[in-house]
Amino acid sequence: MLIHSASQLLTLAGGPQRGAALGALNIIEDGALLINGEKIIAIGTSAELRAAYPNEPALDAGGCVVMPGFVDPHTHAIWAGDRAAEFEMRLQGKSYLEIMAAGGGILSTVRATRTSSLEKLITQTRPRLQAMFACGTTTAEVKTGYGLRMATELRMLQALLALNAEGPLELAFTFLGAHAIPPEYNDNPDEYTDLLCETMLPTLKEWWPSQAPDLPLPFVDVFCETGAFTLQQSRKILEKARALGFPLKIHADEFDNLGGASLAAELGAHSADHLVATSPQDIAALAASDTVAVALPCTPFGLAETHYTPARQILDAGGLLAIATDLNPGTAWCENMQFAIALACRYMKLTPAQAIAAATINSAAAVGRAAQVGSLEVGKQADVLILSVSDYRHLGYRFGGNLVRTVIKKGRPYPV
Ligand code: NIG
Ligand code: FE
């Protein structure tokens, strides 16, 4: 299939973009690309490719932007129930951490998720994945973390494996057993940390290849935060996970600066995420590493807070910056990467080009898939968006809607 007549073909070619290099869209005007099966096999101008491949079935992009599908590298898309009542409580003055300390927050979603069957988890999650896909996300990371006990955590992974097999949205998997201290361990959080290290992670290591023999091991993530896991506990869990061969992620500095970002850099984590209360030393440590800084602008927006990830400082230091939705029932029920881009432009002062690179090639790096997705290059997966606009800057400029007209996943078009 030949896609031609793109006003701007945003290739994002050349790999992840660090520091001042962020925002190189590598645009081909009046661009075209040729897809064979699931892969891109040629890229060029419409004139070149139409002359070279006159007999290919054609898809006319009609003078619109063509770009890689979004990669959303941080979501909690699987859960049961909702937290509309807590949203109202926050508007009346209670803080997120206060609600969490009183047994609400993450723990209220844990109660709903623990009592949900596999079937129910799948049917509640599917529409969210469909909404993500319709908004142009072609690959998404999804975390567990609303079980906090092995049976429920594995049921969440089983549901995610089933949804991934269904497609078309392709998933990257993360085990977040360390999302909160479960109520049974309230008085002894270190005991839960030991359970994670001695039992849960080794169990996962055995279980995964029996359920997903063709997929790489999931990421292991920790919520390093006041009221969740201390820096010391986070280190213990992540070091154990690394020793077992799991790739790593961390939630760091969402509210308080505990040093989680430097820990991520030290341990060679794929990403450190949130990074709102991050210190200059942590930023320097991240920038000197290959750990991707994942900003989640929907979260401060969802909490009506005024502090966002200091993206300019991260870029000035030479860091790798990505953005994600953080889709979750507590702080950010948002399936749309285009909205995350709009917020990143306004509150993190990114240009549309920088935000687009942060939402494609750099977010692919945050989930370890930059060699497969995140840019339009020969040999890569044909995950392509056709927008309804002719100038890419409308991403960021416009918000609250959906500028995606067609999503192509692994070479197959899905009209929106
Ligand atoms: O990334 N911070 C921890 N986890 C989520 C919130 C999860 C929830 O409130 O249910 C986040 O913001
Ligand atoms: Fe999160």
Side-chain angles (χ1 to χ4, degrees):
M1 178 175 63
L2 180 69
I3 304 177
H4 64 84
S5 305
S7 57
Q8 302 170 329
L9 181 75
L10 317 185
T11 68
L12 282 297
Q17 302 178 4
R18 193 178 268 284
L22 184 68
L25 300 179
N26 290 322
I27 298 175
I28 301 175
E29 308 229 331
D30 195 7
L33 81 159
L34 183 67
I35 297 171
N36 185 17
E38 298 186 354
K39 296 263 168 77
I40 299 166
I41 59 165
I43 294 205
T45 63
S46 297
E48 284 163 359
L49 263 60
R50 291 183 87 172
Y53 305 97
N55 302 321
E56 281 291 329
L59 179 56
D60 187 347
C64 290
V65 171
V66 172
M67 63 175 289
F70 298 116
V71 177
D72 189 342
H74 182 137
T75 86
H76 306 253
I78 183 165
W79 74 81
D82 70 73
R83 307 232 292 275
E86 286 182 9
F87 173 57
E88 210 167 46
M89 281 163 72
R90 285 206 310 274
L91 296 176
Q92 289 158 348
K94 286 255 181 298
S95 80
Y96 179 78
L97 289 181
E98 277 166 4
I99 293 170
M100 184 162 110
I106 291 170
L107 293 181
S108 72
T109 302
V110 168
R111 287 189 286 277
T113 304
R114 283 180 171 182
T115 53
S116 283
S117 64
L118 177 66
E119 202 42 49
K120 207 166 145 199
L121 280 176
I122 291 173
T123 50
Q124 291 198 26
T125 302
R126 186 183 287 119
R128 297 192 278 264
L129 303 189
Q130 287 168 342
M132 293 166 85
F133 188 76
C135 290
T137 298
T138 46
T139 301
E141 184 259 16
V142 187
K143 303 171 195 299
T144 68
Y146 294 118
L148 310 181
R149 62 159 75 120
M150 208 57 203
T152 315
E153 290 288 315
L154 293 184
R155 200 185 313 134
M156 293 180 85
L157 284 174
Q158 234 176 329
L160 291 174
L161 286 167
L163 288 161
N164 181 60
E166 241 175 52
L169 179 61
E170 187 175 0
L171 302 182
F173 307 86
T174 297
F175 175 79
L176 182 57
H179 196 192
I181 307 296
E184 332 52 291
Y185 289 88
N186 217 359
D187 297 330
N188 200 348
D190 281 336
E191 214 177 294
Y192 183 61
T193 301
D194 290 343
L195 181 76
L196 275 163
C197 293
E198 303 315 322
T199 310
M200 293 171 81
L201 290 175
T203 303
L204 177 64
K205 175 81 193 271
E206 273 193 34
W207 181 87
W208 185 263
S210 73
Q211 303 294 313
D214 302 327
L215 294 171
L217 280 176
F219 292 97
V220 169
D221 192 349
V222 177
F223 187 18
C224 179
E225 186 63 57
T226 306
F229 292 82
T230 65
L231 184 66
Q232 212 183 5
Q233 292 164 340
S234 302
R235 173 183 285 281
K236 202 167 169 192
I237 295 161
L238 293 177
E239 281 182 347
K240 176 69 186 198
R242 188 173 68 159
L244 289 169
F246 291 103
L248 309 179
K249 289 182 168 286
I250 194 166
H251 281 67
D253 308 331
E254 179 175 359
F255 302 104
D256 293 327
N257 181 266
L258 304 192
S262 293
L263 177 65
E266 178 197 327
L267 297 181
H270 274 72
S271 72
D273 304 35
H274 282 293
L275 306 176
V276 176
T278 306
S279 70
Q281 295 91 302
D282 287 318
I283 289 175
L286 276 179
S289 76
D290 289 329
T291 301
V292 181
V294 178
L296 309 170
C298 299
T299 308
F301 177 83
L303 293 169
E305 285 178 0
T306 48
H307 286 87
Y308 286 75
T309 303
R312 302 254 46 110
Q313 277 117 287
I314 292 170
L315 295 179
D316 289 347
L320 272 165
L321 182 78
I323 58 180
T325 60
D326 195 21
L327 168 60
N328 78 77
T331 60
W333 190 327
C334 174
E335 287 97 345
N336 191 346
M337 283 291 277
Q338 298 167 62
F339 188 63
I341 288 172
L343 293 176
C345 290
R346 284 164 186 75
Y347 297 111
M348 292 162 44
K349 306 286 176 238
L350 298 186
T351 63
Q354 290 175 320
I356 290 169
T360 53
I361 187 63
N362 280 15
S363 49
V367 292
R369 304 217 181 161
Q372 294 81 39
V373 298
S375 64
L376 303 179
E377 295 178 80
V378 169
K380 287 186 91 167
Q381 213 163 278
D383 291 3
V384 185
L385 306 180
I386 304 177
L387 306 187
S388 58
V389 293
S390 59
D391 179 337
Y392 73 82
R393 291 171 301 183
H394 284 244
L395 282 172
Y397 166 46
R398 290 160 67 168
F399 57 91
N402 184 8
L403 300 182
V404 173
R405 196 178 75 194
T406 304
V407 184
I408 295 151
K409 178 64 189 174
K410 291 188 177 172
R412 195 168 153 201
Y414 299 82
V416 170

Coordinates of all heavy atoms in Angstrom, one line a residue, residues 74-76 79 83 86 90 96 100 105-110 143 145-146 176 179 223 225 228 251 254-255 273-274 296 299 303 326-332, ligand 1:
H74 N 3.3 5.5 29.7 CA 3.0 5.4 31.1 C 1.5 5.5 31.3 O 0.9 6.6 31.2 CB 3.7 6.5 31.9 CG 3.4 6.5 33.4 ND1 4.4 6.8 34.3 CD2 2.3 6.3 34.2 CE1 4.0 6.7 35.6 NE2 2.7 6.4 35.5
T75 N 0.9 4.3 31.5 CA -0.6 4.3 31.8 C -0.9 3.3 32.9 O -0.1 2.3 33.1 CB -1.5 4.0 30.6 OG1 -1.6 2.6 30.4 CG2 -1.0 4.6 29.3
H76 N -2.0 3.5 33.6 CA -2.6 2.6 34.5 C -3.9 2.2 33.9 O -5.0 2.3 34.6 CB -2.7 3.2 35.9 CG -1.5 3.8 36.5 ND1 -0.8 3.2 37.5 CD2 -0.8 4.9 36.2 CE1 0.3 3.9 37.8 NE2 0.3 5.0 37.1
W79 N -8.2 -1.1 35.4 CA -8.7 -1.0 36.8 C -10.2 -1.3 36.8 O -10.8 -1.3 35.7 CB -8.4 0.4 37.3 CG -9.3 1.5 36.8 CD1 -10.6 1.8 37.2 CD2 -9.0 2.5 35.8 NE1 -11.1 2.9 36.5 CE2 -10.1 3.3 35.6 CE3 -7.8 2.7 35.0 CZ2 -10.1 4.4 34.7 CZ3 -7.9 3.7 34.1 CH2 -9.0 4.6 33.9
R83 N -13.4 6.8 40.6 CA -13.2 7.6 41.8 C -13.8 9.0 41.6 O -13.2 10.0 42.1 CB -11.6 7.7 42.1 CG -11.0 6.3 42.1 CD -10.2 6.1 43.4 NE -9.0 6.9 43.4 CZ -7.8 6.6 42.9 NH1 -7.6 5.4 42.2 NH2 -6.8 7.4 43.0
E86 N -14.0 10.9 44.8 CA -12.8 11.6 45.3 C -12.5 12.8 44.6 O -11.9 13.8 45.1 CB -11.6 10.6 45.2 CG -11.7 9.5 46.2 CD -10.5 8.6 46.1 OE1 -9.5 8.9 45.3 OE2 -10.5 7.5 46.8
R90 N -11.7 16.3 46.4 CA -10.5 17.2 46.1 C -10.9 18.6 45.8 O -10.3 19.6 46.2 CB -9.6 16.6 45.0 CG -8.8 15.4 45.4 CD -7.6 15.2 44.5 NE -7.8 15.3 43.1 CZ -8.2 14.3 42.3 NH1 -8.3 13.1 42.8 NH2 -8.4 14.5 41.1
Y96 N -4.7 14.9 47.4 CA -4.5 13.5 46.9 C -3.9 12.7 48.0 O -4.3 11.6 48.3 CB -3.7 13.5 45.6 CG -3.5 12.2 45.0 CD1 -4.4 11.5 44.3 CD2 -2.2 11.6 45.2 CE1 -4.2 10.3 43.8 CE2 -1.9 10.3 44.6 CZ -2.9 9.7 43.9 OH -2.7 8.4 43.4
M100 N -5.4 9.5 50.2 CA -4.6 8.2 50.1 C -4.3 7.7 51.6 O -4.5 6.6 51.9 CB -3.3 8.4 49.3 CG -2.5 7.2 49.1 SD -1.3 7.4 47.7 CE 0.2 7.5 48.6
G105 N -8.1 6.7 47.6 CA -7.1 6.8 46.6 C -6.8 5.5 45.9 O -7.7 4.7 45.6
I106 N -5.5 5.2 45.7 CA -5.2 3.9 45.1 C -5.8 2.7 45.7 O -6.4 1.8 45.1 CB -3.6 3.8 45.1 CG1 -3.0 4.8 44.2 CG2 -3.2 2.4 44.7 CD1 -1.4 4.9 44.3
L107 N -5.9 2.8 47.1 CA -6.5 1.6 47.8 C -8.0 1.5 47.5 O -8.5 0.3 47.6 CB -6.2 1.8 49.3 CG -4.8 1.7 49.7 CD1 -4.6 1.8 51.2 CD2 -4.1 0.4 49.2
S108 N -8.7 2.5 47.2 CA -10.1 2.3 46.9 C -10.2 1.6 45.5 O -11.1 0.7 45.3 CB -11.0 3.6 47.0 OG -10.7 4.4 45.9
T109 N -9.4 1.9 44.6 CA -9.3 1.2 43.3 C -8.9 -0.3 43.5 O -9.3 -1.2 42.8 CB -8.5 1.9 42.3 OG1 -9.0 3.2 42.1 CG2 -8.5 1.2 40.9
V110 N -8.0 -0.5 44.5 CA -7.5 -1.8 44.8 C -8.7 -2.7 45.3 O -8.9 -3.8 44.8 CB -6.4 -1.8 45.9 CG1 -6.1 -3.2 46.4 CG2 -5.1 -1.2 45.3
K143 N 0.3 -0.6 33.3 CA 0.8 -1.1 34.6 C -0.3 -1.9 35.4 O -1.4 -1.5 35.3 CB 1.3 0.0 35.5 CG 2.3 0.9 34.9 CD 2.6 2.2 35.7 CE 3.3 3.2 35.0 NZ 4.7 2.9 34.5
G145 N -0.9 -3.0 39.5 CA -0.7 -2.1 40.7 C -2.0 -1.8 41.5 O -2.0 -1.1 42.4
Y146 N -3.1 -2.4 41.0 CA -4.4 -2.3 41.8 C -4.8 -3.6 42.4 O -5.9 -3.8 42.7 CB -5.5 -1.7 40.9 CG -5.2 -0.3 40.5 CD1 -5.1 0.0 39.1 CD2 -5.1 0.8 41.4 CE1 -4.8 1.3 38.7 CE2 -4.8 2.1 41.0 CZ -4.7 2.4 39.6 OH -4.5 3.6 39.2
L176 N 3.5 -3.4 38.7 CA 3.6 -2.4 39.7 C 3.0 -2.9 41.0 O 2.2 -2.2 41.6 CB 2.9 -1.1 39.2 CG 3.0 0.2 40.0 CD1 4.4 0.6 40.4 CD2 2.2 1.3 39.3
H179 N 2.9 -0.4 44.1 CA 2.2 0.9 43.8 C 1.7 1.6 45.1 O 1.6 2.8 45.2 CB 0.9 0.5 43.0 CG 0.3 1.7 42.3 ND1 -0.9 1.7 41.7 CD2 0.7 3.0 42.1 CE1 -1.2 2.8 41.2 NE2 -0.2 3.7 41.4
F223 N 6.4 2.9 43.0 CA 5.9 4.3 43.3 C 6.7 4.8 44.5 O 6.5 4.5 45.7 CB 4.4 4.3 43.7 CG 3.8 5.6 43.9 CD1 4.4 6.8 43.4 CD2 2.5 5.7 44.5 CE1 3.8 8.1 43.6 CE2 1.9 7.0 44.6 CZ 2.5 8.1 44.2
E225 N 7.5 7.4 46.9 CA 6.8 8.7 47.3 C 6.5 8.6 48.7 O 6.3 7.5 49.3 CB 5.6 8.8 46.4 CG 4.8 10.1 46.6 CD 5.6 11.3 46.1 OE1 6.0 11.4 45.0 OE2 5.7 12.2 47.0
A228 N 4.0 6.0 50.1 CA 4.0 4.8 49.3 C 5.3 4.1 49.7 O 5.5 3.6 50.8 CB 3.9 5.1 47.8
H251 N 8.3 5.6 39.5 CA 7.5 6.8 39.7 C 8.3 7.6 40.7 O 8.5 7.2 41.9 CB 6.2 6.5 40.4 CG 5.1 5.9 39.5 ND1 5.2 4.7 38.9 CD2 3.9 6.5 39.1 CE1 4.1 4.5 38.2 NE2 3.3 5.5 38.3
E254 N 6.7 12.8 42.2 CA 5.4 13.3 41.8 C 5.0 14.4 42.8 O 4.5 15.5 42.3 CB 4.3 12.2 41.8 CG 2.9 12.7 41.5 CD 1.9 11.6 41.4 OE1 2.2 10.4 41.6 OE2 0.7 11.9 41.1
F255 N 5.2 14.2 44.1 CA 4.8 15.2 45.1 C 6.1 15.7 45.9 O 6.3 16.9 46.1 CB 3.8 14.7 46.0 CG 2.5 14.3 45.3 CD1 2.2 12.9 45.1 CD2 1.6 15.2 44.8 CE1 1.1 12.5 44.5 CE2 0.5 14.8 44.2 CZ 0.2 13.5 44.0
D273 N 9.6 8.5 35.9 CA 8.4 9.2 35.5 C 7.8 10.1 36.6 O 8.0 9.9 37.8 CB 7.3 8.1 35.1 CG 7.8 7.1 34.1 OD1 9.0 6.7 34.1 OD2 7.0 6.6 33.3
H274 N 7.1 11.1 36.1 CA 6.5 12.2 36.9 C 7.5 13.4 36.9 O 7.3 14.3 36.2 CB 6.0 11.8 38.3 CG 4.7 11.1 38.3 ND1 3.6 11.7 38.0 CD2 4.5 9.8 38.7 CE1 2.6 10.8 38.1 NE2 3.1 9.6 38.5
L296 N 4.4 13.7 32.8 CA 2.9 13.3 32.8 C 2.1 14.6 33.0 O 1.5 14.7 34.1 CB 2.7 12.3 33.8 CG 3.7 11.1 33.8 CD1 3.5 10.2 35.1 CD2 3.5 10.2 32.6
T299 N -1.4 14.8 34.8 CA -1.5 14.6 36.2 C -1.7 15.9 37.0 O -2.6 16.0 37.7 CB -0.4 13.7 36.7 OG1 -0.4 12.5 35.8 CG2 -0.6 13.2 38.1
L303 N -5.1 17.1 38.8 CA -5.1 17.5 40.3 C -5.3 19.0 40.5 O -5.3 19.4 41.6 CB -3.9 17.0 40.9 CG -3.7 15.4 41.0 CD1 -2.3 15.1 41.5 CD2 -4.7 14.8 41.9
D326 N -0.5 9.0 31.6 CA -0.7 8.5 33.0 C -2.1 8.1 33.2 O -2.5 8.0 34.3 CB -0.3 9.6 34.0 CG -0.1 9.0 35.4 OD1 0.1 7.8 35.5 OD2 -0.2 9.8 36.4
L327 N -2.8 7.8 32.1 CA -4.2 7.4 32.3 C -4.4 6.5 33.5 O -3.8 5.4 33.6 CB -4.6 6.6 31.0 CG -5.9 5.8 31.0 CD1 -7.1 6.7 31.3 CD2 -6.1 5.0 29.8
N328 N -5.3 7.0 34.4 CA -5.6 6.3 35.7 C -6.8 6.9 36.3 O -7.2 8.0 36.0 CB -4.4 6.3 36.6 CG -4.3 7.7 37.4 OD1 -5.0 7.9 38.3 ND2 -3.3 8.5 36.9
P329 N -7.5 6.1 37.2 CA -8.8 6.6 37.7 C -8.7 7.7 38.8 O -9.7 8.3 39.1 CB -9.4 5.3 38.3 CG -8.2 4.5 38.8 CD -7.1 4.8 37.7
G330 N -7.4 7.9 39.3 CA -7.3 8.9 40.4 C -6.9 10.3 40.0 O -7.6 11.2 40.3
T331 N -5.9 10.4 39.2 CA -5.3 11.7 38.9 C -5.5 12.2 37.5 O -5.4 13.4 37.2 CB -3.8 11.7 39.2 OG1 -3.1 10.8 38.4 CG2 -3.5 11.4 40.7
A332 N -5.7 11.2 36.6 CA -5.7 11.6 35.2 C -6.4 10.6 34.3 O -5.8 9.8 33.7 CB -4.2 11.7 34.7
Ligands
NIG1 O1 0.9 7.9 38.3 N1 1.2 8.0 41.4 C1 0.9 6.8 41.4 N2 0.1 6.3 40.5 C2 -0.8 7.0 39.6 C3 -2.0 7.4 40.3 C4 -2.8 6.2 40.5 C5 -4.1 6.4 41.2 O2 -4.3 7.4 41.9 O3 -4.9 5.4 41.1 C6 -0.1 8.2 39.0 O4 -0.4 9.4 39.1

